[in-house]
């Protein structure tokens, strides 16, 4: 997690570019004449690489949502793998947004797949090789421990779903327990506990929490409650979360969270504001607009420089 | 879900073969000289196809745990895809055990990937083409609805995690809410509700629940509480669940659940009981032993023939 926080400070930006690249998001010219899944995957990869090149000096990280690649089968997953590789080589921190979860022995496989290495006889390799993975904690600590084991002595991280950005997230997450806590607060407390042995240079652990920008009241509660837990904040833009909504998730140094935006950046080229721009130029400009919007909200909190 | 129940009645067996095939599970001869991920994936696929051929007349279904394939990267996922295809062609109901979960727009991608079809210009194809998918319901109904939409007019199914088989499942799932229900009971109630528009020919809906064999008290509660919810029951064998433990999950017809066994079948050839047998012969014999064990437990409940 420290490398993410360092990148945020270096680039003075908490804005993460979400590469949730559906084939339909591509400009018409990149979709024409595509008749196979493998060709679609190549077009998606080309789109991603151009976006990565356009944002790599500005963004600390990209978040690659694997569902959009699984939708195109094995061919799509090749584009996922190559996107992750390219983004890491470009110096970006790479989050695999896969929300994986299972019993211990199976979670161990996921930990190897996304954050660690697999072994076949004398061959050792990184199957997908991301820096950070999103996970779902419904199964309790058994399903988390394999990730902690893989992260030991490595600068990797996980974000556990705590309070998600979608409208129905409260259906389970906001229920109140007999001890007065909500389910999401309980999950948050578990996350803080799971990370307690792994606190890094900036005071945040390797075990972060997903806390949606669309629920500012819950986010404010969690920020106070979980002092060592870094937040991945989805829901800005297309989902309705504003910069002022998500400002509550940051500490007095402007640290404590990274804000994802996917559709707002990838599809910027279709908006009037960025008319006439290439998709990757529009992506870069939409990212800059987002950064300025968040910087303004942080200034309103008295934060002029991130990390100080 | 009806096709699963029909297969259970036709084959008079609730035992599902779990294809959680780690490379290390293969006999030494199949592991020798393997130096690449693609070769490992080919060996794993060969192992799976031989197991499928050995059990296809006995088992109603296979459950393919995707984590074991993701561990070998894109090459592993090719073996996953081909395993699913082969098992379906062999007449088996195929469950993809992937525990996917996300916000609505992203869950839609997963629904297409595993149960539906994707579209690229004029091309329509099934990315992984399973019959049934396991999902995690922590995000509430938004994350479930895309699966219901894909299942409409198709004989598909999902199993939502309710009470998982692992030791720490109670850490979140057994917490008590202010209204007196546990979190897993609440999740179970949601599952029953989500399935209420999709009740099939046997009285069970397309939205099932994962209920571990290792927690018989909770399973008995859930069986009474969720009359239209079919259970996927992991945890038999290697994880410690017994046939008597899981018998509580069945109704008076012997319906209501399918019991998975992975390591107990795939690794049977390493056990003294099956010594000298080929791995697929041992798998078949271990499956038969499991079926007899469960049949005995069901007879103790007065059930002599499943479905009557």
């Amino acid at each position: 997690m420290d490398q993410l926080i360092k990148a945020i400070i270096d680039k003075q930006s908490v804005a993460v570019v979400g590469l949730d690249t559906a084939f339909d998001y591509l400009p018409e010219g990149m979709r024409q004449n595509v008749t196979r899944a493998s060709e679609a995957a190549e077009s998606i990869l080309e789109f991603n690489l151009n976006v990565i090149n356009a944002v790599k000096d500005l963004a600390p990280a990209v978040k690659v949502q694997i569902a959009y690649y699984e939708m195109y089968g094995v061919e799509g997953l090749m584009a996922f793998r190559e996107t992750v590789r390219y983004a890491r080589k470009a110096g970006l921190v790479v989050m695999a947004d896969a929300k994986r979860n299972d019993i211990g022995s199976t979670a161990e496989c996921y930990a190897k797949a996304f954050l660690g290495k697999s072994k076949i006889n004398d061959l050792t390799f990184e199957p997908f090789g991301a820096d950070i993975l999103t996970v779902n904690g419904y199964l309790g600590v058994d399903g988390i421990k394999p990730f902690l084991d893989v992260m030991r002595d490595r600068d990797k991280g996980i974000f556990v779903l705590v309070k998600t950005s979608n409208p129905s997230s409260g259906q389970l997450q906001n229920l109140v327990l007999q001890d007065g806590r909500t389910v999401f607060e309980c999950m948050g407390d578990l996350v803080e506990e799971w990370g307690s042995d792994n606190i890094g240079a900036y005071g945040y652990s390797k075990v972060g929490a997903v806390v949606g920008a669309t629920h500012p009241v819950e986010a404010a509660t969690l920020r106070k409650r979980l002092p060592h837990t870094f937040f991945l904040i989805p829901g800005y833009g297309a989902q309705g979360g504003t910069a002022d909504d998500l400002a509550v998730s940051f500490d007095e140094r402007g640290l404590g969270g990274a804000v994802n935006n996917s559709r707002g950046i990838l599809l910027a080229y279709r908006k009037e504001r960025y008319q006439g721009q290439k998709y990757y130029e529009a992506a870069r400009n939409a990212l800059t607009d987002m950064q300025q919007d968040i910087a303004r909200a942080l200034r309103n909190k008295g934060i002029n420089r991130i990390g100080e």
Side-chain angles (χ1 to χ4, degrees), chain A:
Chain A
M1 200 68 87
D2 276 358
Q3 63 169 327
L4 172 62
I5 303 175
K6 187 177 180 306
I8 285 172
I9 295 171
D10 288 348
K11 289 174 171 164
Q12 285 292 305
S13 172
V14 299
V16 173
V17 175
L19 295 169
D20 307 12
T21 317
F23 181 70
D24 295 344
Y25 291 2
L26 307 189
E28 208 186 330
M30 296 178 76
R31 284 184 276 124
Q32 269 173 353
N33 306 320
V34 168
T35 58
R36 298 166 177 217
S38 59
E39 293 165 359
E42 280 166 31
S43 291
I44 289 168
L45 181 59
E46 184 193 338
F47 182 95
N48 286 349
L49 303 195
N50 284 329
V51 171
I52 289 168
N53 285 334
V55 303
K56 65 183 177 190
D57 60 319
L58 296 178
V62 292
K63 181 172 83 61
V64 197
Q65 170 51 262
I66 200 167
Y68 283 80
Y69 302 84
E70 292 188 359
M71 178 164 62
Y72 305 117
V74 171
E75 290 75 10
L77 286 156
M78 281 188 202
F80 173 84
R81 180 179 68 186
E82 296 310 314
T83 298
V84 170
R85 278 190 190 161
Y86 192 86
R88 285 191 77 188
K89 277 194 189 156
L92 293 161
V93 175
V94 179
M95 308 179 187
D97 191 358
K99 299 183 174 64
R100 295 299 191 253
N101 64 105
D102 218 298
I103 65 168
S105 50
T106 306
E108 207 179 300
C109 302
Y110 283 135
K112 287 179 186 170
F114 290 102
L115 299 178
K117 291 177 178 174
S118 288
K119 213 176 146 4
I120 294 165
N121 293 329
D122 295 331
L123 174 71
T124 304
F125 65 106
E126 293 191 334
F128 290 106
D131 298 302
I132 291 176
L133 178 70
T134 58
V135 305
N136 185 318
Y138 188 72
L139 287 89
V141 69
D142 298 342
I144 300 298
K145 202 176 162 299
F147 296 103
L148 302 182
D149 291 343
V150 160
M151 293 194 294
R152 186 157 298 140
D153 307 320
R154 285 192 191 140
D155 191 2
K156 300 279 184 181
I158 53 172
F159 284 110
V160 182
L161 299 187
V162 170
K163 176 63 189 170
T164 58
S165 59
N166 59 310
S168 76
S169 69
Q171 202 170 14
L172 190 85
Q173 297 163 25
N174 282 42
L175 295 176
V176 181
L177 300 169
Q178 270 186 342
D179 65 12
R181 293 181 301 168
T182 58
V183 169
F184 77 80
E185 284 170 338
C186 170
M187 187 64 92
D189 291 347
L190 289 172
V191 168
E192 181 82 9
E193 182 191 322
W194 293 333
S196 59
D197 292 336
N198 284 289
I199 311 248
Y202 303 95
Y204 288 103
S205 86
K206 290 182 184 176
V207 185
V210 174
V211 178
T214 44
H215 305 293
V217 175
E218 289 88 340
T221 307
L222 288 167
R223 182 68 289 154
K224 287 199 195 86
R225 196 176 183 102
L226 314 176
H228 307 100
T229 302
F230 204 82
F231 292 176
L232 172 60
I233 306 168
Y236 174 86
Q239 290 183 55
T242 69
D244 294 305
D245 288 340
L246 60 85
V248 299
S249 288
F250 291 85
D251 66 21
E252 66 288 345
R253 296 169 294 170
L255 294 178
V259 184
N260 182 68
N261 189 2
S262 302
R263 281 169 279 177
I265 291 173
L266 301 185
L267 292 177
Y269 75 94
R270 292 183 186 171
K271 287 186 192 154
E272 208 178 337
R273 181 176 172 83
Y274 309 104
Q275 215 171 13
Q277 299 178 13
K278 297 263 187 205
Y279 64 89
Y280 46 86
E281 294 165 348
R284 181 182 173 88
N285 290 328
L287 174 62
T288 304
D289 286 346
M290 176 187 173
Q291 288 175 328
Q292 290 174 355
D293 185 30
I294 295 173
R296 178 197 51 72
L298 290 179
R299 273 197 306 276
N300 288 345
K301 278 188 68 165
I303 299 153
N304 291 306
R305 224 187 123 69
I306 296 169
E308 285 174 9

